[in-house]
Amino acid sequence: MKGEPGWSYEKSMNMLWSRLLRMGRNPFWASLDAVLVVRMENGSSGHQEWSWKAYVPHGVPVHELPPVPVPLPEGEWDKERFRKKRGLASRVLGHQAALTLASSLHFARFMIVEEDCRFRLPVIGATARMLGQLLKGCRERTALFLSEPRLSPHTACSVAKGEKSVLLRVTDMAASAAYVMDLSLCERVLLSLPSDQRVWPWLRYYGSLEEWFARYLGRYGDLYALSPAFVSCGEGAPMPSLCKSLGHFNNARTKYTDLSYLVNPAINSWRWLKNVNIFSGRKRLE
């Protein structure tokens, strides 16, 4: 906004033109202000055929961040232990830098993707429309994960179905390769992520960025994921297709747990009512 720190006329015009260029195109990509690419210290660029460069359409602003130098830890570390932990530290610092940039540029909604991950499928068709409507109509503090988790979520509820994937509402998500986040949740997450030398005691306590996401991100916002995931970054864990209970989602932040109307409101509204037991608040599993 005008008058805020970091605001400039050129910056606001660039964001306006990028919005105009994407009007009428893919609903998912049109809902994003930018794509931020996180590069690790190892310099891996992944496979070009499946990299983000082949899937992010023209007209979407892309910011490629340089690798963040990892400071040396205090105390005595052997080379093997430092090599393993250095990758974890590089990921935390890279995502912290990307979130800081998104906050400073006031991106309302953005996507963070790690450079060495692989896209399995393009986000097009019914899936793009479903995700575009979700991001357009969701509340503040919402995150959508496009990558597979390293650990399966404790609870996941199938809320809508696209052409290639099912949209899930999850309680936790141990993934960081590719996700969409809004500014409000970004600013809350930044309060908890470390920078520079603080990354080593942070890792000793939390273990990794994925573990922190799994333990805490669901407390601050609504989490959604795709099954199967569109983005891969190594070998991931399986995603459940339907939750056992909706009790985990009946909290102050969750207004509803079924988003079938995103695909076809007229047809799916009755199915939603039919599957909900208003006396127990649980969905009947068939």
Side-chain angles (χ1 to χ4, degrees):
M1 296 295 293
K2 188 174 181 179
E4 294 182 354
W7 181 91
S8 70
Y9 176 79
E10 183 180 357
K11 184 191 303 181
S12 62
M13 289 304 297
N14 287 338
M15 294 180 65
L16 174 61
W17 279 113
S18 65
R19 284 279 186 176
L20 292 176
L21 285 172
R22 288 177 278 141
M23 275 188 175
R25 297 187 182 181
N26 187 300
F28 168 72
W29 295 106
S31 64
L32 305 180
D33 286 339
V35 173
L36 294 89
V37 181
V38 175
R39 296 174 59 192
M40 305 302 175
E41 258 200 351
N42 55 22
S44 174
S45 59
H47 199 296
Q48 292 297 321
E49 184 180 353
W50 299 297
S51 74
W52 61 270
K53 297 180 181 179
Y55 286 88
V56 177
H58 178 73
V60 180
V62 176
H63 298 264
E64 297 185 61
L65 282 75
V68 179
V70 177
L72 294 175
E74 298 179 354
E76 295 183 0
W77 287 54
D78 59 77
K79 292 183 178 180
E80 183 64 21
R81 181 189 176 195
F82 177 68
R83 185 184 63 82
K84 291 181 179 179
K85 295 294 184 180
R86 183 174 184 171
L88 298 177
S90 179
R91 173 172 284 107
V92 173
L93 295 176
H95 283 258
Q96 194 270 348
L99 293 170
T100 300
L101 178 63
S103 176
S104 64
L105 296 179
H106 302 285
F107 291 146
R109 184 171 291 107
F110 55 90
M111 175 179 176
I112 289 182
V113 58
E114 295 177 1
E115 187 184 35
D116 58 351
C117 69
R118 296 172 51 171
F119 275 75
R120 292 170 171 170
L121 297 167
V123 185
I124 57 176
T127 300
R129 292 191 295 271
M130 174 182 68
L131 298 182
Q133 292 181 46
L134 168 68
L135 297 176
K136 183 179 179 181
C138 65
R139 294 167 295 168
E140 290 187 346
R141 293 194 176 185
T142 297
L144 168 64
F145 288 88
L146 302 177
S147 57
E148 57 193 4
R150 298 188 183 276
L151 299 171
S152 296
H154 288 89
T155 308
C157 178
S158 176
V159 293
K161 187 175 182 180
E163 290 175 329
K164 302 290 185 178
S165 289
V166 175
L167 179 64
L168 304 176
R169 171 77 165 89
V170 295
T171 52
D172 54 276
M173 193 68 176
S176 66
Y179 55 91
V180 176
M181 185 177 289
D182 61 26
L183 179 60
S184 179
L185 184 56
C186 165
E187 292 177 340
R188 179 58 187 86
V189 171
L190 278 174
L191 297 176
S192 302
L193 293 187
S195 59
D196 299 330
Q197 194 64 38
R198 290 183 56 240
V199 69
W200 296 111
W202 190 92
L203 283 174
R204 281 196 296 269
Y205 188 81
Y206 296 110
S208 67
L209 180 65
E210 291 87 353
E211 291 181 47
W212 188 91
F213 275 178
R215 292 170 61 183
Y216 294 98
L217 198 60
R219 303 182 185 183
Y220 306 138
D222 297 336
L223 309 183
Y224 296 91
L226 290 172
S227 177
F230 276 42
V231 178
S232 173
C233 196
E235 189 172 340
M239 289 286 289
S241 59
L242 193 65
C243 65
K244 298 179 180 179
S245 168
L246 297 188
H248 294 80
F249 301 101
N250 293 334
N251 54 47
R253 285 201 46 80
T254 306
K255 185 178 180 181
Y256 41 72
T257 54
D258 193 300
L259 300 179
S260 299
Y261 69 89
L262 292 175
V263 181
N264 194 326
I267 294 178
N268 290 311
S269 58
W270 169 246
R271 189 184 69 175
W272 180 80
L273 291 173
K274 184 177 65 174
N275 289 336
V276 174
N277 186 330
I278 60 176
F279 298 102
S280 65
R282 296 174 179 267
K283 177 180 271 189
R284 296 201 302 269
L285 301 180
E286 300 177 355

